[in-house]
Every structure is written in structure tokens, then in C-alpha cells.
Amino acid sequence: DLLSDADDVHHWGFLRAVFHDNYVPNEMLEPSWRRPHLLHCMQVAENVAPRLRATLESEEGRAGLSRFLCIYWTASQGGKFLSPWTRHIDSSHWYFVQFELNGVRKLIQFDIVGGSFLVDGSPCAR
């Protein structure tokens, strides 16, 4: 099944985050060979979001977000999770977790559709 386990979730998260990191919004304003592909990627992300949210209801699915965090944000090595991943109450796409790194608490937020990854509310250096 599509997006049904932790491996699928962590690969999806990485794909969306890398896409977000390399996406230039101005590309949507100008006709180019890339524009239809970018639109298609965004539409696919919206289409699979309900299935992904269903997978993230399970502990195994949320473990995929933790794997994603450790692979995507290399600075997280040696840190520990202080809470489980939780869906933000005001958004169906945003998930967050409390994380401790070098004795400092961090709020990690991730948009599973758009690919935005935030540490304490700001984009991070990888």
C-alpha cells in the first residue's frame, strides 16, 4: 500500500523537504518546461495527504517522521525526542515534536505536504 509504513513516511518527508529547499517560487510565474512538473508535484502531494495523515495516526507511521528528522537535519544527531509527533490542531499538514539537543529544548515543525521544516519557528541549516 502507498504510504503505509515508517519507511514510506521517512522517504516521503525527505522528498518533500528537499523539493521545498530547491523550489524557487518565481518558476511558477514564468512559462518553462519545469512549470508543469512543479504543478504536478504539488498536486500529487495534496492528493496523497489524506493517506499520509491516516498512516501518521499510528505509532509506526510517526516513527517515520522521527527517521526523517534524523536523516534530513544532520545536526539532530545525539538529540532525543521529548514528546511524540503530534498534528497541529489548526492545520492538517503540520506536525510538531519537542526535541532536546545538547541540553536545549527545540520545537521541530514539519509540513508533510509543502515540505517546510522549521526549528523553533525558523528554517534551519542542514
Short mmCIF file of all heavy atoms in Angstrom, two decimals, residues 74-96:
data_model
loop_
_atom_site.label_atom_id
_atom_site.label_comp_id
_atom_site.label_asym_id
_atom_site.label_seq_id
_atom_site.Cartn_x
_atom_site.Cartn_y
_atom_site.Cartn_z
N THR A 74 20.86 16.92 9.95
CA THR A 74 22.03 16.20 10.46
C THR A 74 22.47 16.71 11.83
O THR A 74 23.09 15.97 12.59
CB THR A 74 23.19 16.27 9.46
OG1 THR A 74 23.48 17.63 9.16
CG2 THR A 74 22.85 15.53 8.18
N ALA A 75 22.15 17.94 12.18
CA ALA A 75 22.50 18.48 13.49
C ALA A 75 21.74 17.78 14.62
O ALA A 75 22.10 17.91 15.78
CB ALA A 75 22.23 19.98 13.54
N SER A 76 20.71 17.01 14.28
CA SER A 76 19.90 16.35 15.31
C SER A 76 20.59 15.13 15.92
O SER A 76 20.13 14.60 16.93
CB SER A 76 18.56 15.91 14.73
OG SER A 76 18.74 14.85 13.81
N GLN A 77 21.70 14.69 15.33
CA GLN A 77 22.40 13.52 15.85
C GLN A 77 22.77 13.73 17.31
O GLN A 77 23.31 14.76 17.67
CB GLN A 77 23.66 13.24 15.02
CG GLN A 77 23.39 13.04 13.54
CD GLN A 77 22.39 11.93 13.25
OE1 GLN A 77 22.46 10.86 13.83
NE2 GLN A 77 21.46 12.20 12.37
N GLY A 78 22.45 12.77 18.15
CA GLY A 78 22.74 12.86 19.57
C GLY A 78 21.62 13.49 20.37
O GLY A 78 21.69 13.54 21.60
N GLY A 79 20.59 13.97 19.71
CA GLY A 79 19.45 14.56 20.42
C GLY A 79 18.45 13.50 20.84
O GLY A 79 18.60 12.32 20.51
N LYS A 80 17.42 13.93 21.55
CA LYS A 80 16.38 12.97 21.96
C LYS A 80 15.00 13.60 21.86
O LYS A 80 14.84 14.81 22.04
CB LYS A 80 16.64 12.43 23.35
CG LYS A 80 16.55 13.44 24.46
CD LYS A 80 16.82 12.79 25.80
CE LYS A 80 16.77 13.83 26.91
NZ LYS A 80 16.98 13.25 28.21
N PHE A 81 14.04 12.75 21.58
CA PHE A 81 12.65 13.18 21.47
C PHE A 81 12.05 13.29 22.86
O PHE A 81 12.18 12.39 23.68
CB PHE A 81 11.85 12.19 20.62
CG PHE A 81 12.28 12.19 19.18
CD1 PHE A 81 13.25 11.33 18.72
CD2 PHE A 81 11.72 13.09 18.28
CE1 PHE A 81 13.67 11.34 17.40
CE2 PHE A 81 12.12 13.12 16.96
CZ PHE A 81 13.09 12.24 16.52
N LEU A 82 11.38 14.42 23.12
CA LEU A 82 10.76 14.65 24.42
C LEU A 82 9.26 14.41 24.38
O LEU A 82 8.62 14.37 25.43
CB LEU A 82 11.04 16.08 24.90
CG LEU A 82 12.52 16.44 25.05
CD1 LEU A 82 12.66 17.91 25.43
CD2 LEU A 82 13.19 15.54 26.08
N SER A 83 8.71 14.28 23.19
CA SER A 83 7.28 14.05 23.03
C SER A 83 7.06 13.31 21.72
O SER A 83 7.95 13.27 20.88
CB SER A 83 6.52 15.39 23.00
OG SER A 83 6.88 16.14 21.84
N PRO A 84 5.87 12.74 21.55
CA PRO A 84 5.58 12.11 20.26
C PRO A 84 5.24 13.18 19.21
O PRO A 84 4.85 14.31 19.56
CB PRO A 84 4.37 11.23 20.56
CG PRO A 84 3.71 11.88 21.72
CD PRO A 84 4.80 12.53 22.52
N TRP A 85 5.38 12.84 17.95
CA TRP A 85 4.94 13.74 16.89
C TRP A 85 3.43 13.92 17.01
O TRP A 85 2.70 12.95 17.22
CB TRP A 85 5.26 13.15 15.52
CG TRP A 85 6.70 13.26 15.14
CD1 TRP A 85 7.68 12.33 15.35
CD2 TRP A 85 7.33 14.36 14.48
NE1 TRP A 85 8.87 12.79 14.86
CE2 TRP A 85 8.69 14.04 14.32
CE3 TRP A 85 6.87 15.59 14.01
CZ2 TRP A 85 9.59 14.89 13.70
CZ3 TRP A 85 7.77 16.45 13.39
CH2 TRP A 85 9.12 16.10 13.24
N THR A 86 2.98 15.15 16.86
CA THR A 86 1.57 15.49 17.01
C THR A 86 1.14 16.39 15.85
O THR A 86 1.88 17.28 15.46
CB THR A 86 1.35 16.25 18.34
OG1 THR A 86 1.88 15.46 19.41
CG2 THR A 86 -0.12 16.51 18.59
N ARG A 87 -0.07 16.15 15.34
CA ARG A 87 -0.59 17.02 14.29
C ARG A 87 -1.04 18.33 14.92
O ARG A 87 -1.69 18.35 15.96
CB ARG A 87 -1.76 16.36 13.56
CG ARG A 87 -2.22 17.18 12.36
CD ARG A 87 -3.20 16.42 11.48
NE ARG A 87 -4.37 15.95 12.16
CZ ARG A 87 -5.48 16.69 12.34
NH1 ARG A 87 -5.57 17.90 11.90
NH2 ARG A 87 -6.50 16.17 12.99
N HIS A 88 -0.69 19.42 14.27
CA HIS A 88 -1.08 20.74 14.76
C HIS A 88 -2.59 20.87 14.70
O HIS A 88 -3.21 20.48 13.71
CB HIS A 88 -0.40 21.84 13.93
CG HIS A 88 -0.46 23.18 14.57
ND1 HIS A 88 -1.58 23.97 14.52
CD2 HIS A 88 0.45 23.85 15.30
CE1 HIS A 88 -1.35 25.09 15.18
NE2 HIS A 88 -0.12 25.04 15.65
N ILE A 89 -3.17 21.42 15.73
CA ILE A 89 -4.63 21.49 15.82
C ILE A 89 -5.26 22.37 14.75
O ILE A 89 -6.38 22.15 14.32
CB ILE A 89 -5.05 21.95 17.24
CG1 ILE A 89 -6.51 21.65 17.47
CG2 ILE A 89 -4.76 23.41 17.45
CD1 ILE A 89 -6.88 21.44 18.88
N ASP A 90 -4.52 23.38 14.26
CA ASP A 90 -5.08 24.31 13.28
C ASP A 90 -4.73 23.97 11.83
O ASP A 90 -5.08 24.72 10.93
CB ASP A 90 -4.59 25.74 13.57
CG ASP A 90 -5.14 26.27 14.88
OD1 ASP A 90 -6.25 25.87 15.27
OD2 ASP A 90 -4.45 27.09 15.52
N SER A 91 -4.00 22.89 11.61
CA SER A 91 -3.60 22.54 10.25
C SER A 91 -3.51 21.03 10.09
O SER A 91 -2.97 20.34 10.94
CB SER A 91 -2.23 23.16 9.93
OG SER A 91 -1.77 22.70 8.69
N SER A 92 -4.02 20.56 8.97
CA SER A 92 -3.96 19.11 8.73
C SER A 92 -2.62 18.68 8.15
O SER A 92 -2.35 17.49 8.05
CB SER A 92 -5.09 18.70 7.79
OG SER A 92 -4.94 19.37 6.54
N HIS A 93 -1.76 19.63 7.77
CA HIS A 93 -0.48 19.28 7.15
C HIS A 93 0.72 19.42 8.08
O HIS A 93 1.78 18.89 7.76
CB HIS A 93 -0.22 20.16 5.93
CG HIS A 93 -1.23 20.04 4.84
ND1 HIS A 93 -1.94 18.89 4.57
CD2 HIS A 93 -1.65 20.94 3.93
CE1 HIS A 93 -2.75 19.09 3.56
NE2 HIS A 93 -2.61 20.33 3.15
N TRP A 94 0.59 20.13 9.16
CA TRP A 94 1.74 20.42 10.03
C TRP A 94 1.78 19.47 11.23
O TRP A 94 0.77 19.27 11.90
CB TRP A 94 1.67 21.86 10.54
CG TRP A 94 2.11 22.85 9.53
CD1 TRP A 94 1.32 23.50 8.62
CD2 TRP A 94 3.45 23.31 9.30
NE1 TRP A 94 2.09 24.33 7.85
CE2 TRP A 94 3.39 24.24 8.23
CE3 TRP A 94 4.68 23.02 9.88
CZ2 TRP A 94 4.52 24.89 7.75
CZ3 TRP A 94 5.80 23.67 9.40
CH2 TRP A 94 5.71 24.59 8.35
N TYR A 95 2.98 18.94 11.48
CA TYR A 95 3.23 18.09 12.65
C TYR A 95 4.38 18.70 13.44
O TYR A 95 5.24 19.37 12.88
CB TYR A 95 3.59 16.67 12.21
CG TYR A 95 2.38 15.91 11.72
CD1 TYR A 95 1.83 16.16 10.47
CD2 TYR A 95 1.76 14.96 12.53
CE1 TYR A 95 0.71 15.49 10.03
CE2 TYR A 95 0.64 14.27 12.09
CZ TYR A 95 0.11 14.54 10.85
OH TYR A 95 -1.00 13.88 10.42
N PHE A 96 4.38 18.47 14.74
CA PHE A 96 5.44 19.02 15.57
C PHE A 96 5.86 18.02 16.63
O PHE A 96 5.13 17.09 16.96
CB PHE A 96 5.02 20.36 16.21
CG PHE A 96 3.91 20.23 17.22
CD1 PHE A 96 4.19 20.04 18.56
CD2 PHE A 96 2.59 20.28 16.83
CE1 PHE A 96 3.17 19.92 19.50
CE2 PHE A 96 1.56 20.16 17.74
CZ PHE A 96 1.86 19.98 19.09
#
